[in-house]
Amino acid sequence: MDAPELIAVSLARDGRAVLHGLTLTLREARIGIIGRNGAGKSQLLRLIAGLAVPDRGQVRLGGIDPATDRPAAIARIGLLFQNPDHQIIFPTVEEELSFGPREAGLPRAEVALRVRATLARFGREDWLSRHVQTLSQGQRQLLCLMAVLAMEPGTILLDEPFAGLDLATTTRLHAILGALPQRLLHVTHDLGALAGYDRVIWLDEGRVAGDGAPAPVIAAYRAAMAGESGDDRLGL
């Protein structure tokens, strides 16, 4: 698996600095990314996926720039958004699952095989011709995950993928993701979801405030948030 790498990366949006000179190599199999809203977590994932371009610095993925070599990037890295409706672009399941492999230049027969194999993997062969609008929120999130897996990427980026899902669906998706061989980079506010992870990165105002084994980084983050809970600057 190609390890995503950021080298002195800075990014601004609407005149506001979002990330400040980040240098990270993301080799571990399970990496959690935590921090307050606006800390730069989602923008970090977008940079790694090649959906954003840094103002300064470099993002590398196995020797390629994911923002400029899109076919190579989508074959190596997948992104699962918080809201499946921000990710799904086609009206039917077959079209949605076919898009990535087709964009990667696979022959039509190989695309069809991948689509059917992906559906069979989850026991959803009957979804092939189904219209996306008939799927529940949890089913649409599963469809997004299947679309990512159809590309067979080495790394999957998760941006709060369980937000808004019921407990049963969340539990099932947790189990599916936990069993995957791919590297997972998981942005979440659910600190308990990071149990058993190899590494946790705490972002604060676009900088790395903590990076290492989950227990000490999460403990430091909890302590910092507890210390701010009564801060007058929060307006509470």
Side-chain angles (χ1 to χ4, degrees):
M1 276 184 269
D2 297 317
E5 185 177 12
L6 291 86
I7 305 165
V9 165
S10 294
L11 179 72
R13 284 289 180 266
D14 300 321
R16 183 180 73 88
V18 177
L19 298 172
H20 303 269
L22 291 190
T23 295
L24 296 166
T25 300
L26 304 166
R27 295 190 182 93
E28 293 80 2
R30 296 292 185 267
I31 303 173
I33 303 171
I34 62 175
R36 292 174 290 190
N37 290 335
K41 304 183 300 296
S42 294
Q43 289 297 334
L44 174 61
L45 294 193
R46 291 179 62 83
L47 284 167
I48 294 169
L51 300 179
V53 179
D55 297 313
R56 290 187 299 277
Q58 291 184 306
V59 179
R60 308 299 295 171
L61 182 63
I64 70 159
D65 179 340
T68 58
D69 192 344
R70 298 302 300 148
I74 63 175
R76 301 182 192 196
I77 201 157
L79 174 59
L80 194 61
F81 291 98
Q82 181 179 119
N83 186 339
D85 294 330
H86 294 166
Q87 188 159 355
I88 294 171
I89 57 177
F90 290 99
T92 70
V93 168
E94 182 176 17
E95 290 171 299
E96 187 67 27
L97 294 181
S98 298
F99 176 69
R102 191 173 64 245
E103 285 296 296
L106 295 181
R108 180 176 297 181
E110 175 64 19
V111 171
L113 283 173
R114 283 216 189 175
V115 169
R116 292 180 181 277
T118 301
L119 288 169
R121 178 177 180 179
F122 293 91
R124 301 293 186 177
E125 296 95 331
D126 58 319
W127 281 15
L128 183 65
S129 301
R130 191 162 171 179
H131 283 268
V132 171
Q133 65 184 6
T134 68
L135 301 176
S136 70
Q137 172 95 353
Q139 288 172 330
R140 292 197 299 275
Q141 191 65 297
L142 177 59
L143 172 60
C144 291
L145 176 58
M146 287 194 288
V148 167
L149 293 177
M151 294 301 300
E152 301 178 0
T155 298
I156 298 176
L157 312 176
L158 307 172
D159 191 359
E160 289 281 2
F162 308 119
L165 300 182
D166 60 44
L167 180 59
T169 304
T170 297
T171 300
R172 180 167 184 242
L173 284 174
H174 263 301
I176 291 170
L177 290 167
L180 293 177
Q182 282 91 346
R183 175 188 294 108
L184 301 183
L185 272 62
H186 186 181
V187 165
T188 184
H189 289 290
D190 180 5
L191 303 180
L194 304 178
Y197 273 44
D198 304 300
R199 177 182 178 188
V200 169
I201 299 168
W202 166 21
L203 289 184
D204 188 57
E205 297 184 349
R207 295 181 171 88
V208 175
D211 183 0
V217 174
I218 290 174
Y221 175 65
R222 287 186 188 276
M225 296 305 101
E228 292 186 4
S229 63
D231 193 324
D232 290 341
R233 291 173 300 174
L234 298 180
L236 299 176

